[in-house]
Structure formats: C-alpha cells, structure tokens
Amino acid sequence: MKKLYYLIFILLFSTAVQSAEKPPHAAIASAHPLATAAGFEMLDQGGNAFDAAVAVSAALAVVEPVGSGLGGGGFWLLHQAKDNRQIMIDGRERAPLAATRDMYLDSQGKAVPKLSIDGALSAAIPGLPAALVHIAEKRGRLPLSKSLAPAIRYAKEGFEVGARYRLMAGFRLKALLNSNAAAKVFLAGGKVVLPGFKLVQKDLAETLEAIALHGREGFYAGKVADKLVKGVRAAGGIWTQQDLDEYKIIEREPIQGEYRGIKVTSAAPPSSGGIVLVEVLNILSGYDLEKLGEIDQKHLIIEAMRRGYHDRARYLGDADFVELPIEQLVDKYYAAGLRESIRIDRATKSAALAAAVSDKAGGEDTTHFSILDREGNRVAATLSINYPFGSGFMPPDTGVILNDEMDDFSKKAGEPNIYGLVGGKANAIEPGKRMLSSMSPTFLEDEERVAILGTPGGSRIISMVLLGILDFAKGNDPGSWVSLPRFHHQYQPDVVQYEKGGLDEKTQTALSERGHLFKEINRSYGNMQAILWDKKHSVVEAASDPRGEGNAQVD
Ligand code: GLY
C-alpha cells in the first residue's frame, strides 16, 4: 500500500513538474506579418511548432522572396519537448555533381567577378523543399496540404510588397533583368515596382501545390524538376536530374556549449555558426566582462571575434567531406590558449594570425524565424538563398528564384566571398558538397529561462547572435537583444565593422588608441527574431528587429 501511495505521489509530482515546464503561451517571431500569421494558423488547427515552421518557411518563400525560398536552403534547429531532444535539420544546398574546384576562375586562375553570384551557374541544388517535406512527415502532425495552404493562398492572391522589397529589387535590378521569368514576376516593365504593388506569383503557387500533392517528388521529380533542370542548363548552368534525385536532408546533432551557466545550442557544420559562437564565448568566459569598463569589454569581444572567425577561415567546411577539428575548437582549454594571446591594451593584427586578403562585404539577405508552442516545442530556423533575390535567376514557368549559395564556397584559397569571408581547402568546391554557412539558429537555456533567436546578415550573423547571447546573459529581454547597436570583426578584413550609429565617437577613439581600425556600414543590418520563455515568472515574450518589417506575436 505504501508503495502505491509513493507511486501516485511520484506520478502527481512529475505531472506537476511537467506542466510547470510548459509555456503559458505560444509565440512566433518572423520577418513578415503574413508568415507569422501562417504559423499561428497551424497552431490554431492543432498543429505543433514543427507544422508552424513548415508553414512559416513556405510563407516566407512567397512574401519575402528577397531572403529565402524554394530555390534555397537552411537550417532548422528543433527542440522536441516530448523527449527533450534537440536536432538540427540540415537543408543546406549542395554543389551540383558537375561542379569543379576552379569553376569560377578564369584561365589565369583569377576569380571571375559575379560568376558565383549572378545567374544559373551560381545556383546550388536547393534543400528547402525537401526540408519542408521532411519536417512535416517526421515531426509535424498536419499534412502538407494544410501547412502549405497559407503560402499557396499568398502566392495566388498576392500581397502588397514593402519598402525593403523595393530597395533590394533596385539593388539586384541587373541580375533580375537577366532572367525573363524573374523580371516578369518581380519587376514592372523592367523597373522596380511602385509602392503599393501587389505581388502575385501564379507559377510559384503551382510549384507549392505540386509539393503539397506529391511531397518531395513534387519538386525533385516530374514536371517541376524537368523545368528546373532545363531552365538552368539553357541559361549556362550545370544541374542534372541526378542532382535533384540525390539531394538528401540530414539530421545532425547541434553544437553545444556553455557560457556562465547558460547552455548554448546552435548550428553544426556545414554551418560555422555554432562552433564560432562557442569558441568566442569560451574565450570570453575567462573574463568578468560585467566588471570591466565598456571599452575593455568591446575590445575583448572584438579580439574574441577575430580569433573565432580566424579559425572559421582556417578549418571549417562540410564535415561530410573534410575532417574538422570540432572538439578542439569548442574546447575550453583551447580557448584559454587563445586568450593568452590577447592583450588588453592592444589590438592583435589579423595579419599576425595569417596572411591578409582584400576587403569586400555583403548586405541584407537570408531570413530567420523563431517559434515556441504551448507544449514547449521550439524551432529556430535560418533560411537563405544567399544574396538578395539569390542568383536573380528563375527557371521559366517554375516561379522559383534560385540561390547563389555557390559563392559561400571558397573559390580560391584566400579569395574573399561577397561577405569578405575567406576560407581554405576545407571549404573548396567539390561535387555534392555543402558550402560553409554562417547561419546560426540558436537556443539558450539557464535554470529559469529559455531563448530562441537568430538573424540574417551574411558573415555578420554570428557576431549579431553573439551580442544577443551576451545581452541575454545580462538578464535583458528579447526587445533589447534585437535592438542592440551592432559591431563586428571577422578576422579579415582587419577592421571593426559597425552599423550606422553602432559605435559612438568616444568609444571609437578609445578603441583606436589600442590599434583598432573601423569601417561604418552606411546602414543598419540584421533582422533578428527572438523569443524568451521566462519559466520562473511564467511569461513568454517575443520581439522582432526594429530594423525590419517583421512581426512577433505571443498568443
Ligand atoms: N548564405 C549565407 C550563409 O549561409 O551564411
């Protein structure tokens, strides 16, 4: 009898703990109000965070064609509440099988400008459609006919484009004009559309319907696949049906680290995000940042970033193709060694770490969303077609704008990509290989709080997420993480980049006395979408970056 009472007590106790572990609200933060609404539609229909993630990803492909889409890929970091499991869905694009290491070099061995950025040859094999199907089938509850419905509706009925769409269409006008299908959909009479323009995407709606009906085969086989391959090849690309047949989603263990009692979970290779974040945080964990003055703090953060990005360039690539020293890079003792090389009174010259290369930096692209459902399932997803409007190329009659993710490979050792990032052999082009990414969808957990965050922004993604983590560690809320002034160092070019207004003059003067050089980015950057579940106070908060046009909602 005593035993039975004990068993009942244990059962009641564990149920109470479990319900205390459930958030009082669901939340979604994404780069577009219609995408956030699509996610909530799924939750309202009994779907979970993973169904919502499928709906949000597909909706973003329609309403934010600047940043992501069916022609691209991404990383979906999932937390499955029922077994407390965290998984990274790797839907990164991969190089076509006909790709070669020197495919973007001329006969003199020099990189041909734009060849890896504009047009069909710059496009890698998309992973996003396969990821939608994979997540829906393996983790969701709703059929694709339901989770793709909002995206199909938005594509058919159209929606009014915002200022950012117009700005980026102007920025990528030349590339879009090179593709008749893209120009017809995204421009008006060969010009940037006027404010109030309603973007209708009939072909894209049909492609989405094919996926809703046939799953993976709706994109990677049959009529759509045929149009994709023919369209790419007619425009000078190298895709084959075999590329589409062989594309596979990979479930990976995320990278985990710990910073001042906070468990950090982020993207594994082929993203560099998790490794660089953990390495930089490990370096910083040796200092009592809060006790230091603002200049010392910034100096140390910059020096830690420099070393993290240096290792990114030296070591990282697709772990399925090259051996990566992951254990070393995320090791606290390794970080302690790097810390020894940091002087508090002087900036290290990046050239002292390795040879210098030239300066180039990219802009706004990619997208991120965060989701928490009432069961405690979470999604942090960063998706991309790389540059704004990807390659600018759309295979006729598909509605699918293709990525230019091939530019994320190191096309030549030491040659910077569009974000000024350099890389070595580990990230050289190989057939079927996934290119190194900076996308860093991230979860943070301490005893009382759970955070879900991430942002677009090319090479600056990792430093933005880092600043968000340090702000979480200070106890601040998501509204603060997404609004922080941003600065960045990526080893090469050897300058501290900062967004307009991101570093005041006094700070710059003090830091330049230690040898730092600066470059102001002439606008703000990033579009962070974040959620906080404060378990202790049973509160859920969400925030969308004030720099963007997104929407964060708690329900
Ligand atoms: N294309 C941007 C990234 O993957 O980092």
Side-chain angles (χ1 to χ4, degrees), residues 126 207 219-220 223-233 239 244 393 395-396 398 400 402:
T207 299
F219 186 89
Y220 295 88
K223 278 192 204 147
V224 171
D226 214 40
K227 288 184 216 166
L228 289 169
V229 172
K230 281 201 179 114
V232 164
R233 296 188 75 84
W239 290 18
L244 298 180
F393 177 71
T398 62
V400 178
L402 298 186

Side-chain angles (χ1 to χ4, degrees), residues 41-59:
E41 253 186 64
M42 297 308 112
L43 298 182
D44 290 346
Q45 288 177 42
N48 57 18
F50 312 128
D51 296 301
V54 173
V56 174
S57 307

